[in-house]
Amino acid sequence: MRASTGVTKTLNVLRPIGRFLLPLLVSLILLVALWYGFLKLYPQVGLVGKSPGEVWHYLVTGPTSDTARRAIFGELRITLRDAVIGFGSGMGAALAVAALFVGVPAVAQAFMPVAMLLRSVPLVAITPIIVLVFGRGVLGVTVMAAIVVFFPALVMIMTGLRSAPRQATELVVAYGGSHWTALRMVALPAALPSVFAAARISVPGALIGALLGEWLGSGTGLGAGLIRAIPTFQYNRLWASIALVTVVSVVAYAVVGVLENLVLARFSPRAGRD
């Protein structure tokens, strides 16, 4: 009986994970089909465009594939480092600021309009200021990645924290707990779906922010490599880098989605994504 119950629980966890991953796999297949279709429909692009088969040959089976892989994956490691640090910093800051805004509404009323105003400024426009303040190294790039992550995550996490059951919050306060205790014990668990949704959206955003920071700031990593490949007519490298970034974004999105389903199945079974 216990074995049967364990199998049932495992299947209940794996089903939503499978339903989450299957559309991503289908999306990747459709993306490759659209890639081929676009090149067939616009043959003039073939002068600079490379097909998935040509990218595979360049990275895997070609005579110079070892050199190409070492160069691209070396740049990718730098970009992933920048993106991971930016993602962690942006999500951590969003969690802290969202908790402050929800716990102290007066602070939210004072600073939320400023945050939304800053969000409306294009990152390219403030890049010179970021580079001037934080430099062209890892810090400047990760700040740009963190900014891309921070603002969407802040709004989504605040929405999740405010959706906590009011009765449960009042019960904690009635038994002597502070508003911060209620926030930690009631609001934060209730906001887990919103936190993970923000994380899923922010993973590709962190990569984009890191690429932009490397392009405009540090001059290292895959972002700088993409720009250098265009004037030197290294179109195989350009398309291989774009394909690799796309695959990494999808894989990172999938990893966060799997973690989401596992965590929600453990702490909030009915809140898991279908």
Side-chain angles (χ1 to χ4, degrees):
M1 185 68 179
R2 289 182 179 177
S4 176
T5 303
V7 171
T8 302
K9 288 182 178 180
T10 302
L11 290 175
N12 288 338
V13 173
L14 292 179
R15 278 195 201 100
I17 292 175
R19 286 196 292 268
F20 174 80
L21 292 178
L22 182 60
L24 289 180
L25 180 60
V26 173
S27 298
L28 277 176
I29 295 172
L30 287 175
L31 185 62
V32 172
L34 288 172
W35 187 352
Y36 271 116
F38 177 79
L39 292 177
K40 291 290 184 183
L41 189 61
Y42 298 98
Q44 64 271 23
V45 181
L47 297 173
V48 296
K50 302 298 177 182
S51 68
E54 290 173 310
V55 168
W56 179 265
H57 178 74
Y58 175 73
L59 284 178
V60 180
T61 61
T64 60
S65 58
D66 289 340
T67 304
R69 280 200 307 273
R70 280 197 296 270
I72 291 179
F73 279 93
E75 292 176 346
L76 179 63
R77 280 193 293 271
I78 297 173
T79 300
L80 287 178
R81 178 202 64 191
D82 297 339
V84 168
I85 298 173
F87 173 80
S89 303
M91 283 296 296
L95 276 167
V97 174
L100 177 64
F101 281 4
V102 171
V104 187
V107 175
Q109 293 173 1
F111 289 100
M112 195 62 181
V114 178
M116 292 300 100
L117 179 63
L118 291 174
R119 176 68 182 89
S120 65
V121 179
L123 189 59
V124 176
I126 61 174
T127 297
I129 299 175
I130 294 174
V131 170
L132 183 64
V133 174
F134 298 101
R136 292 182 175 272
V138 177
L139 183 58
V141 176
T142 53
V143 165
M144 281 189 268
I147 289 173
V148 175
V149 170
F150 174 78
F151 290 104
L154 174 64
V155 174
M156 296 184 71
I157 294 171
M158 283 183 63
T159 302
L161 291 174
R162 286 171 174 167
S163 68
R166 185 173 180 179
Q167 295 86 347
T169 302
E170 291 175 348
L171 182 64
V172 172
V173 175
Y175 275 91
S178 66
H179 287 287
W180 296 107
T181 303
L183 186 70
R184 176 174 56 85
M185 297 181 63
V186 178
L188 189 57
L192 278 177
S194 296
V195 171
F196 277 106
R200 279 188 283 110
I201 293 173
S202 299
V203 163
L207 275 170
I208 293 172
L211 290 171
L212 185 62
E214 290 166 352
W215 168 35
L216 297 174
S218 70
T220 60
L222 210 57
L226 285 168
I227 301 304
R228 285 195 296 265
I230 296 174
T232 55
F233 308 105
Q234 299 180 58
Y235 297 122
N236 280 317
R237 183 170 182 172
L238 176 66
W239 285 80
S241 299
I242 293 172
L244 197 58
V245 168
T246 303
V247 171
V248 168
S249 297
V250 172
V251 170
Y253 182 92
V255 169
V256 175
V258 170
L259 288 175
E260 175 186 7
N261 281 280
L262 291 174
V263 171
L264 294 184
R266 171 66 178 85
F267 295 101
S268 181
R270 295 185 179 180
R273 297 179 69 251
D274 291 333

